[in-house]
Amino acid sequence: MSFIEVRQISKTFRVAKKKSGLKEAFRSFVKREYLNIKAVDDISFSIEKGEIVGYIGPNGAGKSTTIKILSGILNPDSGSCKIAGMTPWKERVKYVKKIGVVFGQKSQLWWDIPAEDTFDLLRDIYEIPEEEYRTTKKDLIEKLNLQDIINIPVRQLSLGQRMRCEIAASLLHNPEILFLDEPTIGLDAVSKQLVRDFIKKLNKEKHTTIILTTHDMSDITTLAKRIILIGKGKVLYDGSLKKLKDKYETETYISVKTKDTLNFKKKGIISKKKNKDGYELVINNKLISISELLTFLSHKISIEDIEIEQEPIDKMIVRLYEDYQI
Amino acid sequence: MKIYFKSLGMHLKSELEYRVNFILSFLSQILVFFTYYFIIIALFSKFNNIKGFTMYEVLLCFAIIQFGFSSNEVFARGIDHFDKLIIRGDFDRLLLRPKNIILQVLCSDSDFVKSCRLLQAIIVLIIAIIKLNIKWNLMKVITLLLMLLSSCVIFFGIFLVAASYCFYTIQGLEVRNVFTDGGKHMAQYPIGVFSKGFVLFFTFIIPYAFVNYYPLLYFLGKNDSIIYGFSPLIVIVYLIPCIIIFYLGMKRYTSVGS
């Protein structure tokens, strides 16, 4: 039995069907048609203690719904889920003491007062022993670099500062599982880096199991070894990021600086574009390897400079979504 | 309970952040709500009683209902504005905390500006009691306290039921104002001045009559039955189905998008 066991969970939402226009608004006021939308459709997976799992999928795929079910906010229509031996939506009070949740788009801090006051309130809510609270807080302040911002009303903080406080607030009670729903949304490069490093360290030091949803693929590459891809409410891929990369990362971008002209065709070169310094080539790794291409090129033309770039992971994901038609 | 008072303190702290706004709203609220009392005074300058109730008797009744309503507005704002809690998605957050949900909803919001209404209600209550020349005994003190308590409880119950409706529609319900604001305006007068249908409705469906009619009769010495004196306790029983309805609604909660 794994630490987190999810078996065939489904959840359907009933949404009122509405057309645009005032007339239609009146009509739907009187008689409403409903659409059933399967937000989560027969999802199963299991996660071991101490794993970091990236949960990805396009907007509306059912990521947040899954997180809400796993964290006990929503009751699924069917299926079972055991996390640390408990069913989240049945043993809510006992269960939520073991988890921490960060919603990137929703704040849990009190808007008009300093974050530290929220922390104190959370201590009472979670009934954290004074001693433990003090050490955890000190530790979090140090690691997330909060010394200077913890006493400023939250509304005056920048997004990055606030997110660091949010993460600290979710970890005060030392949860065993941390759910992160788009934790780096809207953050600048420095804050992103800080948040990622912190998550990594947390996982390493405290063996916190982390489930992370994001649209930022560099979050996934730096943090998660395993990803679960969902689309239209179904699990499409569950496995290592590396395998997925091997399967999908087939294109390499090469820009060649040269004064000569390239006048040839070769199998494996997908596209060729001339710019003012030379050429930009896209090759298919499966048909031609980079070294093959380089030997080929150096025989034909004199190369002044060359730049090789792997396909950006974002683009890979786009193709992945296209492949699965989601 | 400690958590509740602590979050109350934090709400106060955040409201005081906007100092000028707080003072101005407080003053304007005082003006607005004195007009309510002036209406009654104006009414009684024409008629000297309504179905046997004198001006101070009606004011007493009025003050008790205002007391219950505004203490809910101050201390249970989260229930009153429950639709906002759901629409903004903040209810999700409450579900993630290891504490009783209704308690947390209570903690989620409060409105100290409305405490001026509470203050007014208490002032009017005191004036009315002084002017009424009540023949005091222990039972009357108990009855008065029970009336104040049940007034708070009944509005809490009604707010709770109205809040449950949000689980089904994710939207506040104007119909509920028939029972809260509408009911409040009716109940500000002793229910007995209305026709029989109303009296039955406000006795058995929403038991306003147990808050300020039957006990009032006892308190004013119009009826000597001690049962009338204890009748506000029935309102506490009424709270039970309200809480059950709330929890049933919570099972249907569907949250909002992220």
Side-chain angles (χ1 to χ4, degrees):
Chain A
M1 186 88 178
S2 303
F3 189 55
I4 298 176
E5 255 327 304
V6 178
R7 288 279 158 267
Q8 289 160 339
I9 277 189
S10 296
K11 175 90 189 168
T12 310
F13 289 117
R14 209 165 73 122
V15 236
K17 209 159 83 182
K18 279 179 192 161
K19 289 172 196 143
S20 58
L22 190 63
K23 208 175 115 195
E24 287 298 332
F26 274 116
R27 206 165 70 187
S28 79
F29 188 78
V30 181
K31 187 171 174 268
R32 234 169 237 198
E33 284 168 55
Y34 289 97
L35 260 180
N36 284 326
I37 291 181
K38 275 197 166 169
V40 171
D41 188 4
D42 197 23
I43 276 184
S44 306
F45 54 80
S46 51
I47 293 170
E48 299 300 329
K49 201 168 165 47
E51 259 189 295
I52 302 185
V53 176
Y55 202 61
I56 59 169
N59 289 329
K63 293 190 301 291
S64 290
T65 307
T66 319
I67 296 281
K68 280 176 187 167
I69 291 172
L70 292 185
S71 55
I73 295 174
L74 291 179
N75 296 10
D77 298 334
S78 61
S80 72
C81 173
K82 279 260 181 257
I83 301 178
M86 284 178 276
T87 304
W89 55 92
K90 283 190 184 138
E91 294 153 88
R92 192 185 66 80
V93 172
K94 211 169 112 203
Y95 172 69
V96 294
K97 279 192 181 182
K98 292 189 182 272
I99 63 166
V101 186
V102 178
F103 290 114
Q105 322 223 32
K106 278 174 212 148
S107 178
Q108 64 165 322
L109 302 166
W110 290 48
W111 194 242
D112 289 319
I113 50 178
E116 194 163 20
D117 286 317
T118 305
F119 292 176
D120 285 349
L121 188 70
L122 286 171
R123 174 195 59 199
D124 295 342
I125 287 177
Y126 285 100
E127 292 162 7
I128 309 167
E130 188 59 44
E131 191 71 6
E132 189 192 327
Y133 172 70
R134 225 175 297 148
T135 43
T136 320
K137 192 167 91 172
K138 200 173 143 238
D139 190 45
L140 287 170
I141 287 174
E142 228 165 75
K143 282 188 185 144
L144 283 164
N145 203 5
L146 302 175
Q147 300 87 336
D148 305 328
I149 54 175
I150 198 170
N151 289 313
I152 302 171
V154 172
R155 64 165 190 275
Q156 290 168 3
L157 298 180
S158 73
L159 190 60
Q161 291 170 330
R162 209 183 73 212
M163 187 55 72
R164 269 143 56 199
C165 293
E166 296 278 351
I167 292 175
S170 304
L171 290 170
L172 285 170
H173 56 292
N174 274 320
E176 289 175 41
I177 309 166
L178 180 64
F179 294 96
L180 297 162
D181 197 359
E182 305 185 25
T184 55
I185 195 162
L187 300 191
D188 66 29
V190 180
S191 311
K192 260 184 197 174
Q193 196 55 45
L194 204 145
V195 167
R196 280 178 201 149
D197 288 346
F198 173 77
I199 293 170
K200 228 175 189 171
K201 220 184 270 169
L202 177 82
N203 173 260
K204 212 170 164 189
E205 285 171 11
K206 295 195 171 164
H207 288 282
T208 311
T209 310
I210 293 165
I211 297 174
L212 165 91
T213 80
T214 184
H215 291 293
D216 186 336
M217 279 308 138
S218 37
D219 281 353
I220 300 284
T221 36
T222 44
L223 289 173
K225 287 195 184 69
R226 175 179 167 198
I227 57 168
I228 295 175
L229 169 73
I230 74 162
K232 289 184 183 155
K234 285 187 187 302
V235 174
L236 301 175
Y237 176 83
D238 180 353
S240 75
L241 182 64
K242 199 177 165 302
K243 252 194 199 150
L244 195 71
K245 258 184 164 172
D246 291 346
K247 194 172 161 202
Y248 278 91
E249 201 172 48
T250 50
E251 290 173 4
T252 306
Y253 294 74
I254 296 168
S255 57
V256 187
K257 202 172 166 191
T258 179
K259 290 200 176 75
D260 303 336
T261 37
L262 278 172
N263 261 329
F264 54 85
K265 282 214 167 87
K266 190 167 172 66
K267 209 174 143 208
I269 299 179
I270 299 167
S271 74
K272 187 173 74 178
K273 227 173 35 196
K274 184 161 172 42
N275 58 21
K276 64 179 193 319
D277 292 330
Y279 290 88
E280 274 169 30
L281 304 172
V282 181
I283 61 161
N284 185 332
N285 294 337
K286 295 226 167 91
L287 298 175
I288 185 168
S289 74
I290 294 170
S291 59
E292 263 179 282
L293 183 83
L294 286 183
T295 17
F296 173 76
L297 280 180
S298 54
H299 284 144
K300 294 267 180 193
I301 54 172
S302 72
I303 299 168
E304 286 176 25
D305 194 9
I306 193 158
E307 239 173 72
I308 300 167
E309 213 178 304
Q310 288 295 315
E311 181 181 18
I313 192 154
D314 280 323
K315 210 164 168 199
M316 181 183 113
I317 294 295
V318 170
R319 273 198 301 131
L320 187 77
Y321 289 172
E322 275 167 8
D323 260 29
Y324 285 109
Q325 294 182 334
I326 51 176
Chain B
M1 234 27 212
K2 190 181 147 207
I3 294 167
Y4 175 69
F5 287 115
K6 194 150 183 190
S7 43
L8 215 57
M10 280 168 73
H11 283 299
L12 187 61
K13 200 170 166 184
S14 48
E15 269 186 61
L16 294 177
E17 280 273 310
Y18 306 95
R19 202 173 50 191
V20 179
N21 180 42
F22 185 82
I23 295 168
L24 285 180
S25 344
F26 198 89
L27 290 177
S28 69
Q29 288 277 325
I30 288 183
L31 286 177
V32 169
F33 284 96
F34 266 124
T35 59
Y36 279 17
Y37 297 96
F38 289 145
I39 290 169
I40 293 187
I41 295 166
L43 195 66
F44 278 94
S45 67
K46 281 273 178 206
F47 313 97
N48 56 15
N49 73 69
I50 301 177
K51 274 208 178 171
F53 288 96
T54 66
M55 181 171 92
Y56 288 110
E57 287 166 353
V58 172
L59 277 178
L60 176 70
C61 187
F62 196 98
I64 285 169
I65 288 295
Q66 281 291 349
F67 176 84
F69 190 78
S70 34
S71 38
N72 271 290
E73 276 190 315
V74 178
F75 300 111
R77 189 74 171 164
I79 295 273
D80 186 10
H81 279 185
F82 192 68
D83 49 339
K84 288 204 181 116
L85 202 64
I86 288 209
I87 289 169
R88 284 195 311 235
D90 292 342
F91 190 68
D92 289 1
R93 187 47 73 183
L94 302 189
L95 285 170
L96 293 173
R97 302 256 163 86
K99 281 278 168 318
N100 180 285
I101 281 296
I102 292 178
L103 176 73
Q104 286 195 67
V105 174
L106 287 182
C107 293
S108 71
D109 201 2
S110 68
D111 186 352
F112 283 95
V113 172
K114 295 280 160 59
S115 61
C116 68
R117 288 202 206 184
L118 200 59
L119 203 70
Q120 282 174 312
I122 294 168
I123 294 168
V124 173
L125 185 79
I126 293 169
I127 294 172
I129 287 174
I130 293 169
K131 293 278 183 182
L132 276 172
N133 293 321
I134 304 286
K135 285 187 211 77
W136 288 100
N137 59 35
L138 181 66
M139 189 52 216
K140 285 200 173 166
V141 176
I142 294 172
T143 304
L144 183 66
L145 292 176
L146 282 179
M147 281 165 86
L148 290 173
L149 175 73
S150 65
S151 173
C152 298
V153 170
I154 195 168
F155 283 111
F156 183 69
I158 291 167
F159 282 151
L160 209 55
V161 172
S164 319
Y165 187 80
C166 299
F167 288 123
Y168 297 89
T169 63
I170 313 236
Q171 212 170 59
L173 170 66
E174 278 310 305
V175 177
R176 72 165 206 182
N177 287 345
V178 173
F179 302 111
T180 54
D181 280 346
K184 185 185 80 180
H185 285 291
M186 302 268 313
Q188 282 164 351
Y189 299 91
I191 300 290
V193 305
F194 298 108
S195 65
K196 205 170 175 199
F198 280 114
V199 177
L200 287 177
F201 182 79
F202 284 116
T203 303
F204 294 108
I205 310 297
I206 306 174
Y208 278 122
F210 292 113
V211 176
N212 71 347
Y213 183 60
Y214 300 119
L216 187 76
L217 292 181
Y218 177 80
F219 187 71
L220 296 174
K222 290 178 197 278
N223 186 312
D224 284 333
S225 166
I226 202 154
I227 297 170
Y228 275 38
F230 277 117
S231 61
L233 289 173
I234 291 170
V235 175
I236 292 162
V237 179
Y238 163 81
L239 194 59
I240 296 167
C242 294
I243 292 172
I244 293 173
I245 289 171
F246 184 83
Y247 277 108
L248 286 179
M250 210 169 87
K251 285 222 170 89
R252 299 215 16 164
Y253 177 58
T254 52
S255 186
V256 286
S258 70

